[in-house]
Amino acid sequence: MQIGIVCHPSIGGSGLVATQLGLGLAKLGHQVHFISQSRPFKLAEHTKNVHFHSVEAIHYPLFQDPLYTFALTAKIVEVAERYRLDVVHAHYSIPHSLCTYLAGEISTVKFATVTTIHGTDVTVVGQDKPLYPLNQFSINKSNMVTTVSAFQRQYVYENFEVEKPIEVIHNFIDLDDFSPAKAAPSVRRTMASDDEKIVMHVSNFRPIKNSEAVITAFHLLLKRVKARLVLLGSGPDIEVMQSRCRLLGIEQQVTFMGDVCHVEDYLPNADCVIQPSYRESFSMVLLEAMACEVPTVSSNIDGIPEVVQHGVTGFIAEPDDVVAMADYMADILLHSEKQQTMGRAGRLSAAKRFNPDDKVAEYLACYQQAVSEA
Ligand code: GMT
C-alpha cells in the first residue's frame, strides 16, 4: 500500500506511536509517507520504504500567521496525487483529521482516511468550544476511527456525537529498543551515586501531569529510602517544581535532565517510575518502563488500568494520594526481589499484550476496511 501518516513531530506520545507504526509498516514492504512540520524526532533518515514530506509554512505579508493548516492540507493533496496514496492516517485529531478530510475532498486521487484519537485531542484541546464542532465533524468524516484504549473510546462516545464505531488499538512497544539490557553503569553514574535508588519521571510537565504529586511523594519517600529523583523532559511546570524542591530542601536529591531524544538510554537505569497524571489515555511512559523491567507507581485514571496490572507490574493509586504512592515506591525500593519480580512481569506483559507485530497487523486490517468503505 501507499500510506500517508500525518503526525506531530515533537517529543510526545502520539508522534512516537505514529513513527513506530510507520516503521513497522515499512518493514512489511509498504511505502510510508510521513507528512509533518518537521522530521518526527524518532524517524531516522534513509530508512527503506520511508519518505518524509515536510510541510512548509506559508509566509506572506498579508497574513499574520503561517497558515499551517492550509499548508498541511496542500501537502497532503500534493503527496496523495504524486504517489497515489491509498490511505492517509491522521494521528491526533486536531488539526490533522480535518486537514486530511479537506485534502480528500480536493485531491484528484481518492484515498481512504483513518483518524487515531490519542487523548488530549478530545479530552483537553478538543473540548475547546470553537474547536469542538470541527473535531466532531472530522472524526465522523473519517472512514475509520481508532483510539488507544477502551477508556478513551468510551470517553469519545460520551462526549461527542459519534456516528460510527471506534476501534481500540492499544499502543505498542519495541522490546529491543526499550530493554533492561541497555542499563549502563556509566549512564547511571551520571544521574546518581551508587548508594542512591533512582526514581524516574518522564513528562511534558503540563498541569495534567500532576508534577506537584511527584515532588511531594518523593519527599515522603526520602524519609525512608536514600534516593534520587530524575526528571526527563521539559514544560511549563518545571519552574514551579524547582521552587517546590527548594522549599522542601530536597534540590540536592533531584536532577532535572531536560528533553532527551533517547529515553530508552535512561529508563533501564531507573529502580522505579512515578506517573501521577490526572489524565492519561494510555501512557507510553508506563509501557516503556515495563519493557525496561522497571516497576511503576502511577495514578489509576483513564486508560492506565489497561496498561498496568496493579500489584503485578506496578501499583496504582488516586492521582493525589501521595502517601500511598510513597508507600508503594518504598515497598519496591526496599525489596529488591519484589522490584525484580514486578519488573520481569512488566516486560512479559508488554511482550504479550502490546506487541508491535500484532498492533501493526491490526492497523493494516483497519486500513483495508477503510479502503473498502471509501
Ligand atoms: O501526554 C501528553 O500530554 C502527550 C500526548 C500526545 O499526544 O503525545 O499523549 C497522549 O497520547 C499518547 C500516545 O497515544 C498516550 O500514551 C498518552 O497517554 C496521551 N496523553 C494523555 O491522554 C494526557
Side-chain angles (χ1 to χ4, degrees):
M1 283 179 125
Q2 293 279 349
I3 300 163
I5 291 191
V6 182
C7 66
H8 292 294
S10 54
I11 292 175
S14 64
L16 180 71
V17 171
T19 307
Q20 293 306 112
L21 172 61
L23 293 174
L25 292 162
K27 246 194 213 162
L28 295 176
H30 300 283
Q31 296 298 315
V32 180
H33 301 265
F34 285 92
I35 304 169
S36 190
Q37 204 164 13
S38 56
R39 180 174 284 275
F41 75 103
K42 282 280 194 178
L43 187 65
E45 286 172 35
H46 313 301
T47 309
K48 195 174 168 208
N49 300 334
V50 171
H51 315 263
F52 169 61
H53 308 276
S54 153
V55 179
E56 290 99 28
I58 298 168
H59 292 291
Y60 186 70
L62 188 63
F63 306 134
Q64 286 184 345
D65 65 70
L67 300 186
Y68 177 70
T69 49
F70 282 176
L72 172 61
T73 305
K75 186 56 79 173
I76 300 171
V77 172
E78 180 195 316
V79 176
E81 291 183 344
R82 180 155 172 215
Y83 295 93
R84 310 198 70 76
L85 295 185
D86 298 298
V87 61
V88 177
H89 186 173
H91 283 265
Y92 202 90
S93 61
I94 298 170
H96 298 155
S97 189
L98 189 55
C99 294
T100 301
Y101 166 75
L102 270 179
E105 291 294 294
I106 297 164
S107 166
T108 53
V109 167
K110 290 297 148 215
F111 54 81
T113 58
V114 176
T115 295
T116 292
I117 293 165
H118 277 275
T120 44
D121 46 356
V122 289
T123 54
V124 184
V125 193
Q127 291 297 332
D128 185 59
K129 261 240 160 75
L131 287 180
Y132 182 92
L134 277 65
N135 208 16
Q136 173 158 293
F137 173 86
S138 63
I139 289 170
N140 277 323
K141 288 292 180 186
S142 297
N143 293 115
M144 291 287 288
V145 182
T146 78
T147 190
V148 299
S149 61
F151 160 81
Q152 202 55 51
R153 169 167 66 184
Q154 193 54 29
Y155 181 95
V156 179
Y157 284 150
E158 284 169 11
N159 290 277
F160 291 79
E161 281 169 37
V162 180
E163 293 152 12
K164 55 179 60 192
I166 299 175
E167 199 172 318
V168 174
I169 304 181
H170 281 135
N171 290 332
F172 51 93
I173 189 85
D174 181 332
L175 290 172
D176 294 327
D177 222 9
F178 285 84
S179 162
K182 284 193 174 172
S186 56
V187 176
R188 196 186 159 102
R189 245 173 260 131
T190 63
M191 297 188 279
S193 56
D194 287 349
D195 59 346
E196 284 176 323
K197 297 284 184 185
I198 296 182
V199 175
M200 207 169 269
H201 173 66
V202 188
S203 176
N204 53 24
F205 297 95
R206 304 232 156 85
I208 51 167
K209 298 295 174 177
N210 196 8
S211 305
E212 192 173 335
V214 175
I215 302 290
T216 315
F218 179 69
H219 181 231
L220 292 173
L221 174 76
L222 279 181
K223 297 184 198 313
R224 292 149 76 182
V225 183
K226 184 154 195 239
R228 170 159 296 275
L229 177 62
V230 176
L231 302 161
L232 304 187
S234 64
D237 286 349
I238 281 278
E239 279 177 24
V240 181
M241 285 186 90
Q242 284 166 338
S243 58
R244 185 137 177 82
C245 290
R246 276 195 297 275
L247 197 78
L248 294 170
I250 58 170
E251 67 266 50
Q252 296 306 324
Q253 282 80 39
V254 182
T255 307
F256 290 83
M257 301 288 289
D259 279 332
V260 299
C261 260
H262 298 282
V263 175
E264 63 276 19
D265 292 340
Y266 296 89
L267 264 181
N269 301 294
D271 294 296
C272 129
V273 156
I274 179 166
Q275 211 71 14
S277 312
Y278 290 120
R279 290 243 81 115
E280 210 66 73
S281 65
F282 182 90
S283 184
M284 278 307 285
V285 173
L286 294 175
L287 180 56
E288 288 167 354
M290 284 162 59
C292 294
E293 294 194 354
V294 178
T296 60
V297 174
S298 69
S299 52
N300 57 3
I301 44 82
D302 299 359
I304 287 181
E306 294 171 51
V307 181
V308 176
Q309 291 167 279
H310 180 65
V312 181
T313 67
F315 292 111
I316 56 178
E318 292 295 322
D320 284 326
D321 193 347
V322 287
V323 174
M325 289 196 204
D327 283 348
Y328 285 140
M329 287 193 286
D331 191 18
I332 292 165
L333 301 179
L334 292 171
H335 302 102
S336 60
E337 212 168 284
K338 185 173 238 170
Q339 182 183 336
Q340 278 174 19
T341 310
M342 284 191 129
R344 285 199 200 106
R347 187 164 166 89
L348 211 65
S349 174
K352 252 201 200 147
R353 299 163 59 227
F354 307 108
N355 180 293
D357 293 344
D358 295 348
K359 301 302 165 193
V360 171
E362 284 175 43
Y363 275 114
L364 256 183
C366 173
Y367 293 171
Q368 269 140 11
Q369 195 175 330
V371 168
S372 72
E373 284 177 14

